Amino acid sequence: CALPIFPFVALVHPSVPAHTIQELVALVKASPGKINFGSAGTGIITHLAGEMLNSMAGIRMTHIPYKGSGPVLVDLVAGHIHAGFNNVLSSVPLVRSGKVRALAVTGAKRSEAMPDIPTIAESGWPEYESAAWYAVFVPARTPQEVVRRLNTEFVRAARDPQVKDRLDRK
């Protein structure tokens, strides 16, 4: 089934003198070892999103692992870290309030919630894409008719205009 995927957004504290992902990359190159980024934990998709940018852009931001995305946002807003990768939906209010700045979206296309923010791919790294998807698991011996019904209902919910609007825009 085609359930939605959820991209992330590269964020910086307003004191960081970068307004685009290209400017962040230039800043990191000019300040080796001085710029860091937070993620929801080591090996978590937001960590990998940052490491993929490091690899593709030939830079080295220092990874700061947290225990969840909430503490990342708290420290990013407070200016204790320079940058972070977080899901778009929970980042929108912080971006709108000016507490953090969005530089680029990690998905294959721009986010409907942040249509003015370019993707990392369109910003110079065309192979870059990082997003989350969600799955529902049931016990192995669940009857096929139950699995089909669950699949039908989850897909229906994901395609419902009110649900889609809520997931896309928050």
Side-chain angles (χ1 to χ4, degrees):
C1 74
L3 290 176
I5 61 168
F6 300 92
F8 305 104
V9 60
L11 304 166
V12 293
H13 185 268
S15 67
V16 174
H19 290 81
T20 66
I21 200 74
Q22 297 98 324
E23 289 177 2
L24 179 64
V25 168
L27 179 66
V28 174
K29 286 181 177 181
S31 310
K34 294 185 180 174
I35 306 298
N36 57 45
F37 78 97
S39 81
T42 301
I44 301 293
I45 189 89
T46 51
H47 172 208
L48 300 178
E51 293 300 345
M52 188 161 51
L53 181 62
N54 274 341
S55 176
M56 291 179 134
I59 59 174
R60 185 80 245 145
M61 290 186 290
T62 302
H63 175 237
I64 310 291
Y66 287 82
K67 292 182 179 178
S69 61
V72 173
L73 293 176
V74 168
D75 272 7
L76 185 58
V77 167
H80 299 304
I81 57 174
H82 301 106
F85 289 81
N86 194 55
N87 72 70
V88 170
L89 295 179
S90 65
S91 300
V92 168
L94 296 172
V95 171
R96 286 185 183 154
S97 70
K99 293 179 180 175
V100 298
R101 184 180 311 120
L103 302 183
V105 176
T106 66
K109 62 181 185 171
R110 290 186 183 207
S111 168
E112 290 181 35
M114 295 181 173
D116 296 335
I117 305 300
T119 66
I120 292 176
E122 68 184 296
S123 298
W125 296 273
E127 302 293 317
Y128 189 102
E129 181 182 357
S130 180
W133 54 271
Y134 296 91
V136 177
F137 295 90
V138 295
R141 292 188 177 93
T142 301
Q144 278 303 309
E145 60 271 12
V146 172
V147 171
R148 278 192 289 279
R149 175 68 189 271
L150 286 169
N151 181 63
T152 298
E153 296 303 325
F154 281 118
V155 170
R156 183 177 314 182
R159 291 181 178 157
D160 179 276
Q162 289 180 317
V163 172
K164 186 170 178 353
D165 185 60
R166 179 72 177 146
L167 291 174
D168 288 342
R169 299 197 181 275
K170 188 166 182 174

